[in-house]
Amino acid sequence: MEGSTQKSIAKIRNANHTDLPHLRKMVQALAEQHGDVPQITQEILEREIFGIVPWIYVIVAEADGRAVGYAALCPLINLQMGTRGIDMHHLFVEPAFRAQGIGKRLIEGAMRKARELSCSQISVGTHPDNLDAQAVYLACGFERQDSSHAKFRIAL
């Protein structure tokens, strides 16, 4: 199965409307993996990715004619410096397709998308205990940028 699965990876591409049902399931799986209770609906995903004002960019890894992994990218800006960036908010690969380089290919796809959008950097965060993810990002050329400044939030 693993050998045939790897050969079936057709491409890394932008998400499309037909990906929405399976993309929702993957977002839910990632949330549950982190102990969160997912609230996402297909309608919310459609609004955020394909709405009048898209809020995020999503690229997918396709195998066997369906999405088996995704990266969700959120725009950033450093206005005073006049530079754009992207935060890789999510990176997920279905368990049956892991350890085949798909995560790395999604990261490379995220970098291509960021360059298309004239971004000068990509940021990504991980749980402090997720050493495997940290190792992957370092191996892909990311530099550790631990933050020490105060951050604030208010619910609206």
Side-chain angles (χ1 to χ4, degrees), residues 88 91 102-111 136-137 140 142:
M88 190 162 35
L91 178 67
I102 295 172
K104 182 178 179 193
R105 291 184 63 206
L106 282 166
I107 292 168
E108 291 166 352
M111 290 177 177
V136 169
Y137 296 130
C140 287
F142 285 75

Side-chain angles (χ1 to χ4, degrees), residues 21-142:
H22 200 69
L23 187 56
R24 181 183 58 81
K25 289 177 185 175
M26 289 190 291
V27 172
Q28 289 175 321
L30 181 59
E32 290 166 357
Q33 182 179 313
H34 289 286
D36 296 328
V37 178
Q39 305 288 317
I40 194 70
T41 65
Q42 189 168 316
E43 293 76 20
I44 291 171
L45 274 176
E46 184 170 30
R47 178 191 70 203
E48 302 306 345
I49 302 168
F50 304 111
I52 294 170
V53 179
W55 205 255
I56 62 173
Y57 301 94
V58 175
I59 57 172
V60 298
E62 181 183 303
D64 302 328
R66 67 175 178 85
V68 298
Y70 75 97
L73 310 171
C74 302
L76 300 170
I77 192 161
N78 186 331
L79 193 56
Q80 70 273 24
M81 303 307 257
T83 59
R84 290 179 169 188
I86 284 280
D87 179 67
M88 190 162 35
H89 182 62
H90 280 188
L91 178 67
F92 180 82
V93 176
E94 289 184 350
F97 291 85
R98 292 181 184 162
Q100 298 178 31
I102 295 172
K104 182 178 179 193
R105 291 184 63 206
L106 282 166
I107 292 168
E108 291 166 352
M111 290 177 177
R112 278 191 303 277
K113 185 66 169 178
R115 286 184 192 102
E116 287 173 20
L117 296 168
S118 301
C119 295
S120 60
Q121 56 116 8
I122 294 180
S123 63
V124 62
T126 66
H127 188 280
D129 296 334
N130 193 346
L131 301 179
D132 290 339
Q134 293 173 35
V136 169
Y137 296 130
L138 290 170
C140 287
F142 285 75

Side-chain angles (χ1 to χ4, degrees), residues 147-153:
S147 176
S148 61
H149 63 278
K151 224 175 173 182
F152 302 87
R153 175 182 162 171

